[in-house]
């Protein structure tokens, strides 16, 4: 059973995301090694580690020779310490798809992979080599080695971005999916592909142009209120990433309040496939509504104040229905208040209104199943 995990490169992008998740696992001790630690500390960590997740490496050196020293040579030193400890701890190596490329970075990654495989053969320890594509997510440094991080930072800070070829394709993996897979490997459930080579099962192939267009749409959403489709995996993950780059003094944004003597009506969220959410405020004694719809439907949730929602079925004015209290024949009433949260469905074919019967503002969260189409509003005024 793994009780102690050593993470090298713990202060890096993937390392930070991994370590905060590992720290929440009961009875698991996480040893963090990064560039500020000493070789003596590394040796001490190795002597007690049950599992090693090796993330440390170099990908943007000032001198190309640092690829070998930072990736291959450091891996060899780490494995030598592990071999000398006699513990045969499993090793997970974060490599790169660049290991297949003919460049100094790829060559250094291949050497690191070979050293890890040799360690596995020589000691009998399990080894896991993950050739990761471009990783994106929160806490990735902009203007370093991630176009997504740079674009998120620049767009949220109103800075220009550069896209050389919008049609160029990019394979991405989300940092949370990487963390989930590494923890699966820790628990003996790695996604193996070929021998020591493992993979993160969830990948996203997109063009640079698609990424940029999504990021710009996220930026516009503060004005047009259109939140992205959260059912689409890449869009959901990219939106979460985008939000993590917002300047701390710009987490909030104003909404347009349509105010008159009766109160206000404010749109909050719009989605093409799930309709929209709005907030309605009515002053004491005010009645709003008195209209009906053929197909459009709504849900009302009073969160503050006291009110009455009234219904009357179109074309059936005098038939008394249901067991609810009614102010007059043919009118159905629901008493609502912020003291007891309950949703009232607004079915098609019923003219309806909502009256503030309290002495404070009546605040109602309203959901409509579709966005307002001025050319086909599906709204017909008729007094309840």
């Amino acid at each position: 059973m793994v009780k102690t995990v050593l993470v090298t490169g713990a202060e890096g992008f993937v390392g930070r995301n991994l370590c905060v998740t590992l720290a929440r696992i009961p009875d698991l001790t996480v040893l963090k090694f990064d560039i500020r630690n000493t070789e003596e500390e590394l040796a001490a960590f190795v002597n007690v580690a049950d599992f090693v997740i090796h993330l440390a490496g170099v990908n943007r050196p000032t001198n190309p020779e640092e690829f070998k020293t930072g990736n291959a040579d450091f891996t060899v030193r780490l494995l030598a310490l592990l071999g000398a400890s006699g513990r045969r701890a499993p090793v997970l190596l974060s490599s790169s798809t660049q290991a297949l490329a003919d460049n100094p970075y790829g060559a250094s990654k291949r050497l690191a992979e070979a050293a890890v495989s040799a360690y596995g053969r020589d000691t009998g320890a399990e080894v896991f080599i993950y050739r990761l594509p471009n990783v994106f997510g929160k806490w990735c440094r902009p203007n370093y080695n991630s176009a997504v991080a740079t674009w998120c930072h620049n767009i949220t800070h109103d800075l220009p971005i550069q896209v050389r070829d919008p049609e160029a394709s990019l394979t991405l993996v989300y940092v949370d999916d990487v963390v989930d897979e590494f923890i699966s490997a820790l628990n003996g459930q790695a996604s193996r592909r070929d021998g020591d080579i493992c993979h993160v099962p969830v990948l996203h192939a997109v063009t640079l142009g698609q990424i940029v267009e999504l990021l710009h749409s996220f930026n516009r959403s503060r004005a047009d209120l259109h939140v992205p489709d959260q059912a689409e995996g890449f869009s959901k993950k990219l939106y979460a990433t985008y939000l993590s780059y917002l300047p701390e003094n710009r987490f909030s944004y104003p909404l347009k309040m349509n105010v008159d003597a009766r109160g206000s009506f404010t749109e909050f969220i719009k989605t093409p496939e799930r309709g929209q959410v709005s907030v309605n405020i009515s002053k004491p004694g005010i009645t709003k509504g008195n209209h009906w719809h053929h197909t459009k439907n709504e849900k009302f949730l009073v969160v503050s104040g006291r009110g009455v929602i009234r219904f009357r079925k179109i074309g059936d004015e005098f038939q008394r229905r249901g067991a609810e209290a009614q102010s007059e024949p043919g009118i159905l009433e629901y008493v609502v208040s912020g003291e007891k949260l309950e949703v009232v469905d607004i079915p098609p074919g019923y003219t309806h209104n909502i009256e503030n019967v309290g002495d404070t503002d009546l605040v109602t969260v309203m959901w409509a199943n579709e966005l307002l189409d001025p050319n086909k509003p599906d709204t017909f005024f008729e007094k309840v």
Side-chain angles (χ1 to χ4, degrees):
M1 179 179 179
V2 175
K3 294 184 178 180
T4 303
V5 177
L6 167 61
V7 179
T8 70
E11 296 301 321
F13 164 43
V14 176
R16 288 182 64 193
N17 280 273
L18 175 64
C19 286
V20 296
T21 303
L22 291 175
R24 300 180 63 87
I25 299 177
D27 303 320
L28 183 68
T29 299
V30 182
L31 304 175
K32 301 178 184 179
F33 179 86
D34 208 82
I35 193 169
R36 290 174 292 186
N37 296 99
T38 65
E39 292 280 336
E40 291 75 18
E41 288 175 306
L42 179 61
F45 290 161
V46 162
N47 284 329
V48 295
D50 300 314
F51 197 106
V52 176
I53 299 179
H54 181 30
L55 309 178
V58 174
N59 52 29
R60 289 286 293 272
T62 56
N63 187 332
E65 292 180 1
E66 296 177 37
F67 281 129
K68 183 174 182 298
T69 58
N71 294 326
D73 294 351
F74 176 72
T75 300
V76 170
R77 293 202 308 274
L78 170 65
L79 296 172
L81 290 172
L82 278 169
S85 74
R87 294 180 59 80
R88 296 195 302 173
V91 174
L92 185 156
L93 172 67
S94 172
S95 185
S96 167
T97 53
Q98 288 292 309
L100 302 175
D102 186 16
N103 56 50
Y105 176 62
S108 70
K109 284 297 186 180
R110 286 196 299 274
L111 289 172
E113 291 182 2
V116 169
S117 292
Y119 165 80
R121 290 192 302 271
D122 294 343
T123 65
E126 275 198 289
V127 295
F128 313 85
I129 298 172
Y130 284 89
R131 290 175 175 167
L132 299 178
N134 299 275
V135 185
F136 73 104
K138 65 183 182 299
W139 303 336
C140 186
R141 189 197 315 179
N143 301 307
Y144 185 58
N145 67 338
S146 168
V148 173
T150 301
W151 292 340
C152 284
H153 174 270
N154 286 14
I155 289 174
T156 56
H157 289 74
D158 299 323
L159 298 173
I161 65 170
Q162 294 182 344
V163 185
R164 293 180 180 176
D165 182 6
E167 298 302 318
S169 182
L170 191 64
T171 299
L172 294 166
V173 62
Y174 187 49
V175 69
D176 285 8
D177 293 327
V178 173
V179 169
D180 287 345
E181 174 59 26
F182 286 1
I183 292 176
S184 292
L186 186 67
N187 294 325
Q189 298 175 332
S191 300
R192 289 198 179 272
R193 174 167 287 159
D194 181 20
D196 298 337
I197 302 298
C198 304
H199 70 286
V200 179
V202 184
L203 299 176
H204 303 280
V206 292
T207 66
L208 302 185
Q210 288 172 327
I211 296 171
V212 170
E213 176 51 38
L214 277 172
L215 291 176
H216 280 307
S217 74
F218 300 160
N219 205 41
R220 293 192 300 268
S221 70
R222 292 181 146 210
D224 64 24
L225 308 182
H226 286 258
V227 297
D229 184 357
Q230 298 298 294
E232 200 286 311
F234 179 68
S235 177
K236 175 181 178 180
K237 296 167 185 176
L238 187 64
Y239 184 56
T241 302
Y242 159 86
L243 290 176
S244 73
Y245 287 86
L246 287 172
E248 292 185 352
N249 62 348
R250 294 177 62 182
F251 284 1
S252 67
Y253 57 98
L255 297 175
K256 180 186 176 183
M257 297 180 65
N258 301 290
V259 182
D260 58 27
R262 302 175 303 159
S264 65
F265 180 80
T266 306
E267 295 176 318
F268 172 32
I269 288 175
K270 295 181 178 180
T271 64
E273 68 286 340
R274 293 291 186 272
Q276 71 178 58
V277 178
S278 307
V279 178
N280 183 78
I281 299 177
S282 300
K283 298 295 182 182
I286 293 298
T287 299
K288 291 186 178 181
N290 286 316
H291 60 243
W292 63 281
H293 317 287
H294 278 297
T295 302
K296 179 184 292 186
N297 54 87
E298 301 165 288
K299 294 179 184 288
F300 289 1
L301 172 63
V302 168
V303 296
S304 181
R306 294 179 60 248
V308 176
I309 301 173
R310 297 185 177 92
F311 298 88
R312 177 175 58 80
K313 191 174 185 179
I314 297 300
D316 192 15
E317 300 182 31
F318 305 110
Q319 182 178 347
R320 190 177 181 88
R321 300 176 306 283
E324 297 288 339
Q326 298 182 32
S327 60
E328 58 185 87
I331 297 177
L332 181 67
E333 292 186 349
Y334 281 85
V335 178
V336 289
S337 79
E339 297 177 0
K340 180 186 177 184
L341 297 185
E342 59 181 330
V343 176
V344 178
D345 273 316
I346 311 297
Y350 287 81
T351 186
H352 53 275
N353 64 30
I354 181 168
E355 179 185 1
N356 184 346
V357 296
D359 53 11
T360 62
D361 285 353
L362 179 69
V363 182
T364 308
V365 177
M366 296 180 170
W367 171 83
N369 72 309
E370 60 185 33
L371 304 182
L372 175 63
D373 181 356
N375 297 318
K376 189 179 179 182
D378 188 14
T379 300
F380 307 94
F381 292 91
E382 183 170 331
K383 188 176 180 180
V384 175

